Amino acid sequence: MRPRRLRSALTLLSTLTTAVTLAAATAGPATAAERPAPVRHAAAAHEVAPGLSPVTELLAQRLLLADKVAAAKYGTDTPIDDPEREARILDDVRARAAGLGLDPDAVAAVFRDQIEANKLVQRGLYARWDAHPAERPTERPDLAKEVRPALDRITTQLLAALAATERARALPSCDPRLATAAVRSAYTHRLDALHLKALGRALPSVCAAP
């Protein structure tokens, strides 16, 4: 990660932390079932950060699915790290990015960040469940039939969102606009500290400006 991107990621994470701390103080904790539905109206997204809210919404949704990935794997022999599957995902998005006229390596960098952010959530949940057995999931989602198809749908949507925001992501103003959009997505989904940290990890490669 380039020094500028690292500084941007740290700034975004600090901004997000402040925003969600304020949200928690006013709204209180929320379970996954209580989180508000994602913002889907283009006009509402435009008011916050034109063109970038759809991206951060998809990043937040993908992170929330990490809870199900963790629940599906926890207590099994399935590892959090899966280099072969990760390589297949990155090869796939590179090929699809080229078909959309996007820079394959830049898009792969975005998805590599999503993979790492997802694993950050999984590790955090494993640690939480190890320390607090009463909080362990009581059901095991079907990774192949339920979770991965949902992740695949978000992949398709995120590729489309990256294509639609290509010009906006290349502007020097991308970083602050991305931060604004990410804050709103974090607030909308009432992300806790773990998912907030993961959202910060998911952001660094989104802006394409040098």
Side-chain angles (χ1 to χ4, degrees):
M1 185 184 297
R2 291 178 292 180
R4 179 179 179 276
R5 283 286 179 261
L6 177 58
R7 289 194 298 271
S8 296
L10 292 173
T11 300
L12 289 172
L13 183 57
S14 176
T15 303
L16 289 168
T17 301
T18 301
V20 175
T21 299
L22 291 173
T26 57
T31 64
E34 293 170 335
R35 291 186 181 106
V39 176
R40 301 188 184 280
H41 296 292
H46 183 85
E47 292 173 5
V48 177
L52 295 177
S53 285
V55 173
T56 59
E57 280 296 308
L58 289 167
L59 301 189
Q61 290 176 36
R62 197 179 193 282
L63 285 176
L64 293 174
L65 276 175
D67 294 37
K68 289 191 174 183
V69 176
K73 292 180 177 180
Y74 186 73
T76 74
D77 294 332
T78 304
I80 290 177
D81 291 281
D82 188 348
E84 291 185 3
R85 176 171 172 77
E86 292 167 18
R88 288 196 301 271
I89 291 172
L90 295 178
D91 287 344
D92 175 61
V93 297
R94 280 191 180 94
R96 294 167 69 179
L100 292 170
L102 298 172
D103 180 340
D105 289 336
V107 170
V110 173
F111 277 89
R112 188 178 295 109
D113 285 344
Q114 308 320 304
I115 291 171
E116 294 304 318
N118 190 289
K119 291 192 291 186
L120 191 156
V121 172
Q122 291 182 58
R123 293 188 183 103
L125 289 175
Y126 274 31
R128 183 184 301 172
W129 295 336
D130 285 345
H132 305 283
E135 297 182 13
R136 293 174 182 174
T138 57
E139 297 182 358
R140 191 182 304 281
D142 190 312
L143 195 59
K145 294 181 180 180
E146 177 185 354
V147 183
R148 285 178 176 162
L151 288 170
D152 291 342
R153 285 193 295 273
I154 290 178
T155 293
T156 298
Q157 293 170 341
L158 183 53
L159 283 166
L162 292 173
T165 59
E166 183 179 21
R167 182 176 178 181
R169 292 184 298 105
L171 295 174
S173 62
C174 178
D175 280 339
R177 292 171 61 211
L178 180 65
T180 303
V183 165
R184 185 165 193 265
S185 294
Y187 180 88
T188 297
H189 293 280
R190 300 185 190 179
L191 299 186
D192 62 14
L194 173 61
H195 293 80
L196 181 60
K197 182 178 180 181
L199 182 57
R201 180 63 185 86
L203 295 175
S205 298
V206 172
C207 290

